[in-house]
Amino acid sequence: MAKIAPSILSADFAKLGEDVDDVQSRGIDYLHIDVMDGSFVPNISFGPAVMKSLNEIAKIPYDVHLMIQNPERYIEEFVTENTEFITVHYEACQDVAGMIETIHGFGKKAGISIKPGTPPEVLDDYLPDLDLILVMSVEPGFGGQKFMDISISKIKYYAEKRKENGYNYIIEVDGGINPENAYLVKEAGADLIVAGSAVFNAKDRTYAIKKIKE
Ligand code: DX5
Ligand code: ZN
């Protein structure tokens, strides 16, 4: 059984509050907050103001995924009572260790994400300090893309490292996951699954959530 974090990127922004309220009553574990800057990725989503506008209705903690260049400039903006994880991209950081320290300094759990083309070993030095590793299974930037199975071996790599060394991070995977293929990442060792379109566009959202988790 894995946990699930539906990505609000696939919600209807014209009725974001309603959509969030709807999914949070269906057995989800986190709300995945996809922030894109049009520079690190070729798309712009929304910023901290939109996330904060959800604070009043959100009963589920935030899993913030920052797809922004030099994220150290903006960490503080995403620190709210609802924020549990703040994840930044390895490829976007000048100083990964410093970044982890900054997030911890705000009392939040720290995650690092790697893109499909980034080898898993780049995070070796940081594994003891991380609370979360986010393996991308699509090129970051858009919802609704096809799952890339290059992510499978990376999930296994981090699961193995954790077992060998007694590390504490959770392994999250993001992109193209649906009720039909979720077993692939769960078998590989993923603890937390992001799903955008597979949840928000589902005819039966409760069923989609349950299938992805179990
Ligand atoms: C991609 C985002 C993902 C994406 C997931 O850049 O980080 O969270 O929205 O959407 P689906 O599940 O539709 O691939
Ligand atoms: Zn994401």
Side-chain angles (χ1 to χ4, degrees):
M1 181 96 168
K3 292 188 171 179
I4 190 169
S7 168
I8 65 166
L9 186 66
S10 295
D12 180 347
F13 288 169
K15 51 180 176 85
L16 183 57
E18 263 173 61
D19 259 0
V20 165
D21 206 29
D22 179 85
V23 294
Q24 71 181 355
S25 63
R26 297 176 189 267
I28 68 168
D29 301 283
Y30 296 96
L31 286 166
H32 188 77
I33 310 289
D34 277 316
V35 180
M36 303 177 182
D37 68 350
S39 169
F40 179 67
V41 291
N43 191 13
I44 300 176
S45 58
F46 51 78
V50 170
M51 186 194 87
K52 285 174 183 163
S53 72
L54 295 173
N55 280 354
E56 278 169 36
I57 58 161
K59 300 184 193 87
I60 306 284
Y62 299 150
D63 166 39
V64 180
H65 179 195
L66 298 181
M67 288 161 274
I68 63 182
Q69 203 60 50
N70 300 330
E72 48 281 348
R73 297 172 295 165
Y74 291 105
I75 297 303
E76 192 166 7
E77 296 283 337
F78 292 94
V79 176
T80 70
E81 259 184 46
N82 286 3
T83 309
E84 181 158 334
F85 292 103
I86 299 181
T87 295
V88 300
H89 268 267
Y90 169 80
E91 304 86 357
C93 284
Q94 310 276 4
D95 171 13
V96 175
M99 190 71 266
I100 296 169
E101 238 176 77
T102 301
I103 298 169
H104 283 158
F106 285 112
K108 300 301 175 187
K109 294 179 184 163
I112 302 286
S113 182
I114 56 165
K115 300 207 284 185
T118 303
E121 297 82 13
V122 299
L123 297 186
D124 281 358
D125 287 350
Y126 314 110
L127 297 182
D129 302 316
L130 281 170
D131 302 298
L132 179 148
I133 292 168
L134 173 50
V135 175
M136 290 306 297
S137 44
V138 296
E139 285 299 336
F142 300 91
Q145 303 182 75
K146 192 170 173 294
F147 176 77
M148 295 167 78
D149 55 16
I150 183 130
S151 56
I152 303 284
S153 59
K154 296 188 199 179
I155 296 167
K156 287 185 180 157
Y157 177 86
Y158 292 123
E160 193 58 39
K161 281 272 175 191
R162 180 170 61 186
K163 201 167 154 205
E164 271 170 25
N165 300 286
Y167 297 142
N168 289 317
Y169 52 77
I170 65 166
I171 304 169
E172 180 176 32
V173 56
D174 183 2
I177 300 166
N178 55 48
E180 285 69 49
N181 64 14
Y183 75 94
L184 290 170
V185 298
K186 283 181 282 190
E187 276 176 13
D191 308 295
L192 177 57
I193 296 175
V194 178
S197 43
V199 168
F200 283 97
N201 301 344
K203 277 204 197 92
D204 184 344
R205 289 174 173 174
T206 305
Y207 176 81
I209 288 164
K210 195 165 159 262
K211 275 306 220 194
I212 290 169
K213 290 180 74 164
E214 75 186 18

